[in-house]
Amino acid sequence: MMILNHLWGIYAHPKEEWHTIDARHESFRYSMAHIMIVALIPAICAYFSAVHLGWSIGVGDPIKLTSQSALIMSVAMYFALIIGVFTLALLAHWMAHTFGAEPTYTQTVELCSYTSTPLFMVGFAALYPELWFVVSVGLVGLAYSVYLLYVGIPILMHIPEERGFIYASSVVTGGLTLLAVLMATTVILWMSGFGPTYTH
């Protein structure tokens, strides 16, 4: 699919692929379509594993959710991931001027959509729903997403690497803050009676 035509490149040769992306900036709709497709991976895999496989978090039987509960959580996860990417792009766009860059919002959406892709691909790990395995793969995906960000910012933002390093560090900090807010919101919702429904 044309929408995913940069997917292999960001894994096989990330630096060259960033230059390709920079040479032909796609439209906002193109980046949005990319995010909407790759965000399906963790949502669908999490739903399948929660309903049909069950999560193993230690001793005891695997934990399963009812299909309705898992569907609600998967849909909520899907939209939270998409909103998170666009919020991070907005933050990156706002911070860009501080570091001498003048990107459009579409360019920062492009940056965030491709750097978040490895993290979203971690969703496949949910098909082997062992907590230790998913966490391990998640850390690898997070590390590679951060690496893509550090490599991509100087290229897409057209700024020196030293300044790009500080800019990327600021974006990473913003991303971690967004993640913390998302986790806190999830805990609050669970404590308010919106938690999952288990099959047993």
Side-chain angles (χ1 to χ4, degrees):
M1 293 177 64
M2 288 300 292
I3 287 175
L4 301 176
N5 64 357
H6 296 298
L7 191 57
W8 171 249
I10 62 174
Y11 285 102
H13 39 78
K15 194 166 187 177
E16 292 82 354
E17 197 62 31
W18 278 126
H19 281 292
T20 302
I21 293 169
D22 183 53
R24 53 168 202 181
H25 288 293
E26 310 291 355
S27 65
F28 178 84
R29 186 167 57 182
Y30 186 102
S31 296
M32 184 174 182
H34 176 90
I35 297 167
M36 292 178 71
I37 290 173
V38 295
L40 285 171
I41 296 170
I44 292 173
C45 292
Y47 172 82
F48 182 82
S49 63
V51 174
H52 300 288
L53 301 176
W55 281 83
S56 296
I57 56 175
V59 295
D61 296 329
I63 299 171
K64 294 184 179 180
L65 304 182
T66 62
S67 57
Q68 182 179 1
S69 178
L71 180 62
I72 292 171
M73 294 185 70
S74 295
V75 170
M77 176 197 296
Y78 177 70
F79 286 106
L81 290 173
I82 293 173
I83 292 170
V85 172
F86 284 112
T87 304
L88 185 60
L90 190 65
L91 184 64
H93 183 258
W94 175 71
M95 290 190 298
H97 305 287
T98 306
F99 298 94
E102 297 291 335
T104 64
Y105 178 61
T106 299
Q107 285 175 275
T108 55
V109 168
E110 205 170 34
L111 174 73
C112 294
S113 66
Y114 289 118
T115 54
S116 64
T117 296
L119 202 52
F120 288 1
M121 299 289 279
V122 169
F124 284 120
L127 297 177
Y128 182 68
E130 295 281 347
L131 185 60
W132 67 267
F133 177 74
V134 175
V135 170
S136 299
V137 176
L139 289 174
V140 172
L142 177 61
Y144 196 72
S145 287
V146 171
Y147 167 73
L148 283 178
L149 185 67
Y150 278 98
V151 172
I153 276 184
I155 297 170
L156 286 190
M157 301 295 110
H158 301 145
I159 56 178
E161 288 192 10
E162 318 81 65
R163 207 181 305 160
F165 181 85
I166 302 173
Y167 181 16
S169 299
S170 301
V171 175
V172 169
T173 303
L176 292 175
T177 303
L178 286 174
L179 183 61
V181 169
L182 179 62
M183 292 175 68
T185 303
T186 302
V187 171
I188 292 171
L189 288 174
W190 279 30
M191 294 177 66
S192 302
F194 293 97
T197 304
Y198 305 100
T199 55
H200 62 276

